[in-house]
Amino acid sequence: MITRLTIKNYTLIEDIQVNMEGGLTIITGETGAGKSILLGALSLLLGKRADLNSAKNPDKKCVIEAEFSIAEYDLEPLFVAHDMDFDAHTILRREILPGGKSRAFVNDSPVTLQQLQAIGPYLIDIHSQHETLSLNSETFQLEMIDAVANTSAIVAQYQQERQRYLQASTALETLRERQAASLKEADYNTFLLNELQEARLEGVDQEALEATYEKLNNSESITEGLSRTVQLFSQEPAGILENAKEARKELARLQGFASEYQEAWERIHSVIIELEDLEETLVQLAEEIESDPQALYDTNAQLQRIHQLQQKHAVGTVAELVAIQKELSEAQHETETLAEKIENAVQEETEWKSKATRTATELGEKRRAAIPALQEELIALLGELGLPNAQFDFHLERSETFREIGMDHLELRFSANKGSRLGPLKKVASGGELSRIMMAIKAILSRYKHMPTLIFDEIDTGVSGEIAQQMANLMQRMSGEMQLLSITHLPQIAAKGTNHLKVFKEETATTTITQMKRLTKEERIAEIAEMIGGKQLSDSAIAHAKELLN
């Protein structure tokens, strides 16, 4: 339950701090005084996205903080599951900084909005005025049955299995699409792969191949050039080598006269050795050159094939062609194995579908088993709330669709009057009847959900007189099991509170602010009397207020 609420710099509120107690706390105030601002602040605290205009003074930080006593609600596993520190005395804080940036904390540790949203519903259930319309929602109606049937674990199991089934179905569909696309391109890809494989590209050195082609293609010119070069080396009497040897002889006669002549002789001797070696190499090269038309043809054909493939695949190297060949080979292999993958995917989809179906069937059975007791209790409570002839029919029908809430379709049929035909709740129930039905449902759910705090925002709309009194009695009973806060305009309900807070506006010279205060016994009498008879407090209104309070 909430033990303390602090709101600073939020909308019309400058600074409100209020200690909260168990039981039934009544919140009253004139229309427009700011009661809805309190709910807005609590909604922010529970993870609602912040409005940039939330701060009263945009230059200051907006802070909303609530302290909770939750020792007896077994919420530690929930906190641990969402990676938050648990404390029996837990503090939630939301800050909106100047500029609109928002921060959230649980027990002074930073958390995300998703974490706040995960624990919020287990701390406070806020029933706003528009939530009565959710009574017409099939999801809400099934959740109501599930709370009574205690099916939270099986619902979670079904949703997990359903998710796995949907994932398996998506994966199967993707594989089938890939197979269709693969088969569509298979023939052409096989042609391309065969073409690359026939070219035998692995280990091919394109530069070396082109060099071989140039040799073969110019063999005559190369042979002629090498022969003439060899002749220039050894031609008598004017060959390069012969002339060098004559020069060496001349220097041999001079080498004894001075060291520089000796050095000159050594140098030309080295040149002659190099020239003799070069001559031998040129002779060998000339002998190796042969005119081989077949080799020239084969080399040219291989190069032409490589060039054509490079042009076809828009690449410039043999390595890139080999990479494309590998990709095509892998694609061909995948096409061949897709059938097996699809078979496995079909099996997985079937397994998860079967599991989800079994769990959904069990869920439906538990729901059907819980409906009679829920229906009986609802009718009994509505009898107390002035609908003694109320009738319900929970028409639960099995479908073959895997919905998020199960495989059941629910239509809640209702009649408020004896002898009237039952019809869909959303079509036949009036606003006042919907308020009373929601009140009865909340009373039932409060026992099953073990909620720490429940807040009613004018759930009594559309009722008055004896019905209001019965609503007040029901709220009083509910507050014995939980902390209940009720925003109300009805004196019968206001009088049942163990605590009474009043929200009011206060005007200063420059601004209007919303304030809240705890009413004393005398102030409660005046407040309830005003709710009965208006601003001019009559003796009869005061007497009636005292009677209600007593």
Side-chain angles (χ1 to χ4, degrees):
M1 57 175 261
I2 306 174
T3 58
R4 185 179 181 85
L5 177 63
T6 301
I7 305 173
K8 296 181 179 180
N9 193 36
Y10 176 70
T11 311
L12 295 179
I13 297 174
E14 281 190 353
D15 190 347
I16 284 179
Q17 296 185 45
V18 58
N19 293 323
M20 311 290 284
E21 299 176 8
L24 176 58
T25 296
I26 298 299
I27 302 175
T28 58
E30 294 181 0
T31 301
K35 300 185 295 299
S36 60
I37 295 176
L38 294 175
L39 297 182
L42 284 170
S43 296
L44 280 177
L45 195 64
L46 301 180
K48 180 183 176 183
R49 296 206 169 270
D51 188 335
L52 295 179
N53 301 315
S54 295
K56 176 175 173 57
N57 183 343
D59 297 325
K60 293 183 179 180
K61 180 168 65 175
C62 167
V63 179
I64 302 158
E65 182 177 282
E67 301 177 23
F68 295 84
S69 176
I70 54 175
E72 59 188 273
Y73 296 99
D74 193 28
L75 294 179
E76 185 170 2
L78 175 71
F79 278 67
V80 171
H82 291 92
D83 195 26
M84 287 181 281
D85 296 331
F86 174 81
D87 195 308
H89 181 73
T90 282
I91 300 175
L92 270 60
R93 186 170 77 256
R94 186 82 182 275
E95 297 179 355
I96 302 170
L97 306 179
K101 186 176 180 181
S102 170
R103 300 187 303 187
F105 302 85
V106 173
N107 296 322
D108 286 330
S109 296
V111 296
T112 65
L113 285 190
Q114 288 75 17
Q115 287 174 298
L116 273 187
Q117 291 163 1
I119 65 171
Y122 294 89
L123 299 176
I124 304 175
D125 180 4
I126 300 177
H127 174 82
S128 59
Q129 294 181 51
H130 72 270
E131 193 190 350
T132 298
L133 298 177
S134 69
L135 184 55
N136 295 322
S137 159
E138 181 187 12
T139 299
F140 178 86
Q141 294 166 7
L142 284 170
E143 288 175 351
M144 170 180 63
I145 297 173
D146 286 337
V148 175
N150 190 26
T151 59
S152 57
I154 194 170
V155 167
Q157 179 184 339
Y158 163 78
Q159 289 175 341
Q160 183 182 32
E161 291 169 350
R162 170 184 177 268
Q163 184 63 25
R164 295 295 297 271
Y165 163 65
L166 294 177
Q167 290 172 347
S169 294
T170 301
L172 176 59
E173 183 62 26
T174 301
L175 285 173
R176 283 172 170 161
E177 288 174 358
R178 282 168 56 189
Q179 185 185 49
S182 181
L183 290 173
K184 188 176 181 180
E185 300 172 0
D187 290 343
Y188 182 59
N189 286 342
T190 300
F191 168 75
L192 293 177
L193 178 60
N194 291 338
E195 197 174 42
L196 288 167
Q197 288 173 335
E198 288 170 3
R200 301 183 182 280
L201 298 171
E202 290 82 357
V204 170
D205 185 337
Q206 187 174 354
E207 290 184 3
L209 196 63
E210 288 172 344
T212 299
Y213 171 76
E214 289 299 323
K215 286 182 182 180
L216 291 170
N217 194 42
N218 297 281
S219 60
E220 292 183 7
S221 297
I222 293 171
T223 300
E224 182 181 346
L226 289 173
S227 298
R228 289 184 61 190
T229 303
V230 170
Q231 286 179 359
L232 289 172
F233 269 71
S234 57
Q235 186 178 10
E236 295 183 2
I240 296 171
L241 191 55
E242 293 302 318
N243 286 334
K245 288 179 179 179
E246 286 297 321
R248 184 176 62 180
K249 288 179 182 179
E250 294 297 327
L251 288 174
R253 292 195 298 270
L254 303 176
Q255 62 181 334
F257 298 127
S259 61
E260 54 264 35
Y261 305 136
Q262 173 69 25
E263 182 181 350
W265 182 87
E266 289 175 356
R267 290 176 65 186
I268 197 166
H269 181 68
S270 296
V271 168
I272 290 169
I273 292 173
E274 181 66 23
L275 287 172
E276 287 175 340
D277 185 64
L278 179 58
E279 181 185 29
E280 185 179 344
T281 300
L282 292 173
V283 170
Q284 185 178 351
L285 289 173
E287 290 174 353
E288 290 175 356
I289 294 296
E290 295 181 5
S291 177
D292 189 342
Q294 185 60 46
L296 174 63
Y297 175 82
D298 293 342
T299 303
N300 181 55
Q302 188 174 8
L303 279 173
Q304 288 300 317
R305 178 176 293 181
I306 289 173
H307 291 150
Q308 289 170 358
L309 289 172
Q310 287 173 337
Q311 185 176 14
K312 187 173 192 174
H313 293 280
V315 296
T317 66
V318 171
E320 290 173 301
L321 288 175
V322 171
I324 292 171
Q325 178 179 330
K326 182 179 179 182
E327 290 175 4
L328 289 169
S329 179
E330 289 173 351
Q332 185 182 58
H333 177 70
E334 183 182 18
T335 301
E336 294 168 354
T337 59
L338 271 175
E340 182 181 350
K341 290 181 179 179
I342 288 173
E343 184 179 345
N344 292 335
V346 168
Q347 184 177 351
E348 183 176 5
E349 182 198 44
T350 302
E351 288 176 0
W352 284 113
K353 182 178 182 180
S354 177
K355 288 180 180 179
T357 302
R358 286 197 301 268
T359 305
T361 300
E362 184 182 352
L363 176 59
E365 291 171 354
K366 287 184 177 293
R367 285 170 171 170
R368 286 176 177 80
I371 285 174
L374 171 61
Q375 188 169 304
E376 183 179 344
E377 195 165 0
L378 265 177
I379 290 172
L381 283 173
L382 287 175
E384 293 182 26
L385 296 175
L387 294 173
N389 298 312
Q391 299 176 67
F392 281 100
D393 176 24
F394 289 81
H395 186 68
L396 197 64
E397 193 173 73
R398 172 65 180 266
S399 73
E400 295 306 315
T401 304
F402 289 92
R403 310 167 75 202
E404 187 174 357
I405 52 176
M407 297 181 72
D408 299 312
H409 277 284
L410 174 66
E411 184 178 41
L412 182 53
R413 298 169 182 171
F414 170 74
S415 170
N417 304 303
K418 186 183 294 186
S420 296
R421 186 175 180 179
L422 278 73
L425 181 68
K426 59 185 177 182
K427 292 184 178 180
V428 301
S430 66
E433 289 166 349
L434 284 174
S435 293
R436 282 178 272 179
I437 294 170
M438 181 59 86
M439 180 76 198
I441 288 172
K442 289 290 183 179
I444 295 170
L445 295 185
S446 66
R447 297 202 316 277
Y448 290 98
K449 285 192 171 183
H450 197 48
M451 178 69 62
T453 300
L454 175 61
I455 300 176
F456 284 142
D457 179 19
E458 300 186 13
I459 196 172
D460 46 33
T461 299
V463 299
S464 59
E466 181 59 27
I467 305 305
Q469 186 63 49
Q470 293 302 327
M471 268 196 168
N473 293 336
L474 184 54
M475 285 188 192
Q476 192 174 44
R477 293 207 305 268
M478 291 171 64
S479 68
E481 300 178 3
M482 66 193 315
Q483 183 186 47
L484 179 60
L485 281 67
S486 179
I487 297 174
T488 184
H489 288 292
L490 295 182
Q492 297 95 325
I493 292 176
K496 290 291 184 181
T498 50
N499 312 289
H500 194 146
L501 302 174
K502 181 173 181 177
V503 180
F504 59 96
K505 282 183 179 178
E506 190 176 81
E507 294 185 357
T508 67
T510 58
T511 188
T512 300
I513 60 175
T514 289
Q515 297 278 32
M516 178 186 285
K517 70 175 182 177
R518 185 182 300 278
L519 299 184
T520 64
K521 182 177 180 180
E522 293 303 317
E523 287 171 334
R524 285 193 74 186
I525 293 172
E527 177 73 5
I528 293 173
E530 186 177 321
M531 295 171 75
I532 295 170
K535 291 283 187 182
Q536 300 297 324
L537 300 182
S538 64
D539 291 341
S540 62
I542 291 174
H544 191 187
K546 289 180 178 179
E547 182 181 350
L548 285 173
L549 284 168
N550 290 330

